[in-house]
Amino acid sequence: MADNGTSPFPDPIRAGIASGWKVIDLSLPGSDATLECDVAIVGSGAGGGIAADALSGAGLSVAIVEEGTLRSSSDFRMREAEAYPDLYQDSAARKTADKAVNILQGRCVGGGTTVNWTSSFRTPEATLAHWVRHYGLAGYTPQAMAPWFERMEAKLSIAPWHIAPNANNAALATGAQARGIAAGTIRRNVEGCANLGYCGMGCPLNAKRAPLTVSIPAALARGATLVTRARAERLVPDGERIATLDVRGMDASGTVPGTRRLTVRARAFIAAAGAIGTPGLLLRSAMPDPHGVVGRRTFLHPVVVSAAVMAQRIDGHAGAPQTVYSDHYLDSLPLDGPVGFKIEAPPVHPVLAAITLPGHGADHARFMRSFPNMHVLLALLRDGFHPESPGGTVRLRDDGTPLLDYPFTPYLWDGVRRAFRAMAELQFAAGATRVMPIHGDGTAYATERDARRAIDGFTLAPLVTPIVSAHVMGGAPMGPDARRAVVDASGRHHQVGNLFIVDGSLFPTSIGANPQLSIYAVAARIADGIAAELSPARAATR
């Protein structure tokens, strides 16, 4: 952990390490070793962090293996240039195979939950109903999941945000009201939030209630071991069960494999490396996959963006980053109809804005000069519910690292065009003087009529139309039918008895909402089942 010596606020992570928490940094010099525990967890994000807390709380010994580094509030200085290379996969530039989609994923202790914008939605009831009806997940009705949502909401302080929205989010509410469509406020997982607006760079106040600040400290305080800058290379079987996990240390940046190695022996193993990392681990390990399910039907929420210039200052970098949304364009469409999309107002930070805006040179600089007045909307497309939205496929590069192929169908491009229209209408209704859909050469339009005419004529294509996403789901779905699912409804691998999956790769489709709370709830449910099976109390009664 870097020590800048400048933070005036308490840092519970550093205090815990000083008190004797077991934290191993595999980038540091040392001998190869073997670690033994009851449960080995690969990944420390929304799934792995919650599982570590629940399992250690049941009296089990737990080891958490995280490829990224351990950073905490003392290291979070609200600087994009530091945060992106240190806390994100590929310096916030992870791409699909064709380079057409930029994927923002965390690569640090806490994973994406350390750097997300705190938006907390329960899994939409329509999505759960679809899973029950089409994937046989009878135990995942809204009623059955309600106790798990409630438990996670209480544990992570997920509650309505009562502070007035910043100007960027207020403009979305204004535009929705003017257009006569519904909008709502987003619940956030915060406590003691100072409304800074830099959640995506890690919270310097520990106000974000997430695995980094809640679940992982609880597990470490009970004796769990955290191994950082450590890549889980391979699950090693012994018959029909996993015997060990092979781990390789990374360099100080957490990106280049080093020479130090660790072998983890455990009674049970949990893959919680995310919906690209978990299928990658299963493929590298040659886990049984008789029906070729692993890595297929991996879903993003593909996102398109619309920028605008308002007459008044917006200062979209200041204030809670994402607090207003509209589901009008989801709720007005059937799941199996045209692709629906959720509208949100993301934060507007200079580096992220500069790399998202199209164009170069003078044209790009001209729009960036409007940065204080810049307003941004995004449309989050709900993928995976229609025959023409089959998602993507995770495969392995020659070096064993995972790569996502994500082809776009005409069905998805139709949704992109409608999303551009909807965002432009909302921005003009909110008082925009110019609107620039993020597409092509980045032309800005002064009237809604001109914008709509242009959008209707857009040639939508990979690399011409920038697509981004911060949500990856599927690739190792749950379900009772082993021909279509990797694990059963309890998270247990269909062919490997002591291997479980506890992350967003479990989802049979995308969910149509920011997924962290969905992962928290499913993780808590699955982890409690594992604990009931493995805990010392149960073993003593056998």
Side-chain angles (χ1 to χ4, degrees):
M1 298 176 69
D3 188 354
N4 56 62
T6 61
S7 176
F9 304 103
D11 187 333
I13 299 294
R14 294 194 181 196
I17 292 172
S19 74
W21 284 355
K22 290 184 281 188
V23 178
I24 302 169
D25 183 346
L26 277 194
S27 74
L28 300 177
S31 302
D32 293 353
T34 298
L35 178 64
E36 296 194 5
C37 58
D38 290 317
V39 186
I41 302 173
V42 178
S44 64
I50 294 299
D53 188 0
L55 294 166
S56 64
L60 298 165
S61 59
V62 172
I64 309 162
V65 177
E66 168 57 50
E67 183 174 294
T69 189
L70 173 59
R71 297 291 187 230
S72 61
S73 54
S74 298
D75 305 299
F76 300 147
R77 300 195 291 176
M78 300 165 57
R79 297 177 182 174
E80 290 178 276
E82 295 176 359
Y84 297 151
D86 200 33
L87 304 176
Y88 287 77
Q89 289 281 3
D90 300 332
S91 298
R94 172 170 265 188
K95 306 284 188 183
T96 50
D98 61 0
K99 306 292 192 283
V101 184
N102 190 56
I103 304 171
L104 294 173
Q105 283 188 295
R107 184 184 53 85
C108 56
V109 173
T113 68
T114 297
V115 294
N116 70 19
W117 300 332
T118 75
S119 300
S120 301
F121 295 92
R122 293 189 181 190
T123 315
E125 292 192 2
T127 297
L128 292 175
H130 182 85
W131 293 355
V132 170
R133 185 167 58 253
H134 292 277
Y135 296 96
L137 292 171
Y140 283 82
T141 64
Q143 296 75 24
M145 288 303 298
W148 304 102
F149 287 126
E150 291 166 4
R151 175 171 150 186
M152 289 296 99
E153 288 160 354
K155 188 176 192 69
L156 300 174
S157 302
I158 294 172
W161 180 243
H162 294 299
I163 294 176
N166 68 4
N168 194 50
N169 283 270
L172 170 54
T174 298
Q177 183 177 27
R179 300 291 304 186
I181 68 173
T185 56
I186 300 175
R187 296 186 302 161
R188 306 181 66 220
N189 56 309
V190 296
E191 185 176 299
C193 176
N195 206 25
L196 298 175
Y198 284 75
C199 305
M201 280 137 258
C203 181
L205 306 178
N206 290 302
K208 187 184 293 187
R209 309 304 289 164
L212 177 65
T213 55
V214 179
S215 309
I216 293 171
L220 292 173
R222 299 185 190 108
T225 300
L226 173 63
V227 188
T228 66
R229 288 191 269 216
R231 176 173 290 169
E233 288 201 321
R234 183 170 176 262
L235 295 159
V236 181
D238 180 8
E240 295 182 355
R241 297 174 68 83
I242 303 301
T244 60
L245 171 68
D246 286 348
V247 180
R248 186 172 184 179
M250 308 297 286
D251 70 349
S253 72
T255 59
V256 178
T259 58
R260 192 174 172 188
R261 293 186 177 275
L262 179 70
T263 299
V264 184
R265 300 185 182 278
R267 296 163 60 197
F269 296 82
I270 291 176
I276 293 177
T278 285
L281 175 62
L282 300 181
L283 291 169
R284 279 197 305 275
S285 305
M287 287 294 97
D289 184 23
H291 303 287
V293 179
V294 172
R296 298 175 60 191
R297 288 187 62 81
T298 300
F299 292 102
L300 301 172
H301 284 144
V303 167
V304 288
V305 180
S306 185
V309 176
M310 297 291 184
Q312 73 279 19
R313 284 185 72 103
I314 295 296
D315 292 329
H317 60 281
Q322 197 166 255
T323 59
V324 175
Y325 74 101
S326 175
D327 277 349
H328 171 78
Y329 304 96
L330 286 175
D331 296 341
S332 60
L333 294 169
L335 278 176
D336 57 357
V339 63
F341 48 89
K342 188 184 202 80
I343 301 286
E344 296 173 336
V348 188
H349 294 289
V351 173
L352 193 59
I355 63 176
T356 302
L357 292 175
H360 302 278
D363 289 340
H364 188 277
R366 190 176 303 114
F367 213 82
M368 283 301 294
R369 279 195 290 271
S370 303
F371 181 76
N373 297 64
M374 190 183 298
H375 174 262
V376 175
L377 290 179
L378 62 78
L380 182 156
L381 274 66
R382 177 179 59 193
D383 201 2
F385 296 86
H386 189 278
E388 294 181 32
S389 59
T393 302
V394 174
R395 57 181 172 84
L396 297 179
R397 298 183 180 91
D398 291 343
D399 66 357
T401 57
L403 180 66
L404 176 63
D405 285 307
Y406 209 84
F408 265 61
T409 63
Y411 171 82
L412 286 180
W413 287 125
D414 172 71
V416 167
R417 193 180 307 276
R418 289 185 289 104
F420 276 140
R421 288 182 199 142
M423 289 188 289
E425 291 168 358
L426 288 166
Q427 287 174 317
F428 279 115
T433 60
R434 286 181 290 155
V435 170
M436 181 174 68
I438 304 303
H439 167 81
D441 61 2
T443 301
Y445 305 95
T447 69
E448 183 178 330
R449 179 181 177 183
D450 288 344
R452 185 179 182 96
R453 182 184 296 119
I455 291 166
D456 288 348
F458 280 171
T459 299
L460 301 173
L463 301 176
V464 177
T465 309
I467 308 291
V468 298
S469 184
H471 308 152
V472 193
M473 297 147 285
M478 58 181 171
D481 185 352
R483 295 169 299 177
R484 298 198 299 164
V486 174
V487 299
D488 63 21
S490 73
R492 189 192 304 272
H493 196 284
H494 276 298
Q495 285 81 33
V496 184
N498 66 336
L499 174 60
F500 298 83
I501 295 176
V502 186
D503 61 18
S505 61
L506 290 166
F507 299 161
T509 63
S510 77
I511 65 169
N514 306 63
Q516 72 163 342
L517 178 52
S518 296
I519 299 173
Y520 290 148
V522 172
R525 175 179 176 144
I526 291 174
D528 270 16
I530 299 171
E533 179 178 330
L534 299 180
S535 67
R538 173 163 178 157
T541 63
R542 289 180 177 175

